[in-house]
Amino acid sequence: MSEPKIEHWDEAKDGVLNAENMMNKLQKEGYSCTQYTFTPGTTFSDHSHGVSKKDAIISGEFQFTIYGKTIVLHPGDTVEVPKGTVHSAEVVGKNSVVFIDAS
């Protein structure tokens, strides 16, 4: 079984964490980006995508299950989601999640 591939924001290299800087970083990696805000209690049941993508967290906490492992993503974290990989997610805590969908 594969392991989740998570990257953490490096302020020394990437600058201050904000949506604009995260999108710039992801666009330099070749991704197109869309920003969303998910309110507390938002859940996404098991699903997959027809393209490989990265999910990035700007604020809030996002519980993410992939490859049978559950992790909590924090601000500045990104996770790779390969094409066709089943995963699920939910907003945890009392704060909304600002989320960048990069595909």
Side-chain angles (χ1 to χ4, degrees), residues 11-93:
E11 193 168 296
K13 183 175 81 174
D14 301 317
V16 174
L17 174 62
N18 58 41
E20 180 181 3
N21 287 344
M22 179 65 82
M23 284 194 265
N24 286 337
K25 179 179 179 174
L26 293 166
Q27 288 167 346
K28 287 177 185 173
E29 295 177 16
Y31 292 98
S32 295
C33 299
T34 305
Q35 180 177 324
Y36 297 96
T37 299
F38 302 130
T39 57
T42 300
T43 62
F44 299 91
S45 59
D46 283 351
H47 65 284
S48 63
H49 302 278
V51 297
S52 292
K53 56 186 266 190
K54 272 189 180 180
D55 292 339
I57 307 304
I58 304 302
S59 64
E61 294 183 326
F62 204 51
Q63 183 173 288
F64 199 87
T65 302
I66 188 169
Y67 306 124
K69 295 178 175 63
T70 299
I71 53 176
V72 176
L73 300 172
H74 300 279
D77 290 346
T78 62
V79 60
E80 286 189 11
V81 184
K83 176 182 177 180
T85 302
V86 175
H87 59 286
S88 62
E90 70 179 280
V91 176
V92 293

